[in-house]
Amino acid sequence: MSTDTIGILGAIPQEVNGIINQLIDSKVHTIGNRTYYEGKLGQQRVVVVYSRIGKVAAAATVATLLLEFRVSKIAFIGVAGGIHPDVKVGDVVIATNLVQYDMDASPLRPKFEIPLLGKTYFDTDEQWSKNTEKQVQSILAIDNLHKVVNKEDLAPFSIEQPRVHMGTIASGDQFFSTNEQKENLQKQLPEVLCVEMEGAAVAQVCFEFGVPFIVIRTISDNANQEASFSFQSFVEKISLVYGREIINKMFA
């Protein structure tokens, strides 16, 4: 059993409720309008919290996990909009690095670079990410997937053979709901697999504190005009189950 405590967070309740419901010997702490659930998953001590939406909210939550609960690692789990054409709804993206696509201090510094840090991309923990890739692949295998998610729930999203991708995730304080937003990001950062609103802020805080982290995103929509409908339905039917199964596999 690890004596370390791992922080687990998502932006909205649906991304972490399935995890919170499985905690053993849980204690509840309220700090800064956030509710932190401290307990065990199996033999692993964890603190689970939903950060609320956006980079500032996520950064504040991670700082609290690090300073108040002294967690040794951070895992962020949730949903994202697919950007790369190979990434489909129901797939899972595990970040190798993250970038803040709305950071622009030019002409003082290059676009996307974080001032004073001199960094554009923040790397996740390589070995943890690779181990998680294997675990998620086993979850998404069809013979297993249909045991944890009903076929009837997968069908509206045309999820048949979901895949795991590893690569760049972009974060910013916008919800992508038009093709124009998507195409503009693709032109500027063609390597980006998906887009969300918290991960790169989590990455920056973890980098500054020297704490290993991982970011795992399930693709809920295609970051276009249908994103709003797809997102709401997806988080209710799919993401809660995905999140629970992924975290259980990681800490089994």
Side-chain angles (χ1 to χ4, degrees):
M1 179 184 77
S2 172
T3 57
D4 294 340
T5 300
I6 296 178
I8 302 171
L9 68 159
I12 57 177
Q14 293 93 328
E15 293 172 340
V16 294
N17 279 348
I19 302 165
I20 292 169
N21 290 338
Q22 297 185 96
L23 290 179
I24 302 169
D25 299 329
S26 62
K27 299 177 182 178
V28 178
H29 309 267
T30 301
I31 304 172
N33 291 318
R34 309 284 193 276
T35 302
Y36 297 80
Y37 298 85
E38 184 179 14
K40 289 183 179 180
L41 287 173
Q43 296 299 310
Q44 177 62 58
R45 296 203 62 80
V46 298
V47 180
V48 187
V49 57
Y50 79 91
S51 65
R52 303 174 185 267
I53 296 169
K55 293 192 300 177
V56 172
T61 308
V62 171
T64 302
L65 285 169
L66 296 174
L67 296 173
E68 294 290 334
F69 295 96
R70 303 293 179 181
V71 301
S72 58
K73 293 182 179 179
I74 292 286
F76 195 106
I77 192 162
V79 295
I83 295 294
H84 195 279
D86 291 343
V87 175
K88 310 298 183 185
V89 172
D91 287 358
V92 173
V93 175
I94 300 171
T96 55
N97 55 47
L98 298 100
V99 57
Q100 296 182 40
Y101 69 78
D102 57 355
M103 174 58 70
D104 188 356
S106 61
L108 298 177
R109 303 302 304 164
K111 191 173 184 180
F112 310 123
E113 182 182 293
I114 306 300
L116 303 182
L117 290 182
K119 287 183 65 67
T120 299
Y121 296 91
F122 294 88
D123 296 335
T124 58
D125 185 274
E126 183 177 4
Q127 192 58 55
W128 193 10
S129 296
K130 286 181 178 179
N131 291 343
T132 301
E133 178 190 20
K134 296 176 183 177
Q135 293 163 342
V136 176
Q137 284 175 340
S138 69
I139 293 170
L140 297 185
I142 293 301
D143 58 344
N144 182 73
L145 183 64
H146 291 162
K147 295 177 183 178
V148 296
V149 184
N150 293 329
K151 291 183 181 180
E152 294 77 12
D153 291 333
L154 296 170
F157 305 99
S158 301
I159 300 173
E160 296 179 353
Q161 292 185 315
R163 299 170 55 201
V164 184
H165 309 264
M166 294 191 71
T168 301
I169 294 178
S171 308
D173 286 320
Q174 297 180 46
F175 182 82
F176 273 41
S177 59
T178 69
N179 281 324
E180 182 180 2
Q181 289 172 295
K182 183 174 181 175
E183 291 166 2
N184 183 51
L185 182 60
Q186 286 174 320
K187 290 176 183 176
Q188 297 183 79
L189 295 165
E191 73 276 19
V192 167
L193 298 181
C194 65
V195 63
E196 36 89 311
M197 300 177 68
E198 297 85 21
V202 172
Q204 181 179 338
V205 174
C206 288
F207 170 79
E208 296 195 33
F209 279 84
V211 173
F213 70 97
I214 189 172
V215 176
I216 308 160
R217 291 290 189 172
T218 301
I219 303 304
S220 60
D221 58 80
N222 293 312
N224 57 18
Q225 281 82 350
E226 298 178 356
S228 180
F229 166 76
S230 299
F231 177 84
Q232 294 294 341
S233 181
F234 191 91
V235 295
E236 293 169 2
K237 297 284 187 178
I238 308 297
S239 67
L240 186 148
V241 178
Y242 265 43
R244 182 191 67 212
E245 294 299 315
I246 291 170
I247 292 297
N248 282 347
K249 197 76 170 178
M250 289 171 65
F251 300 128

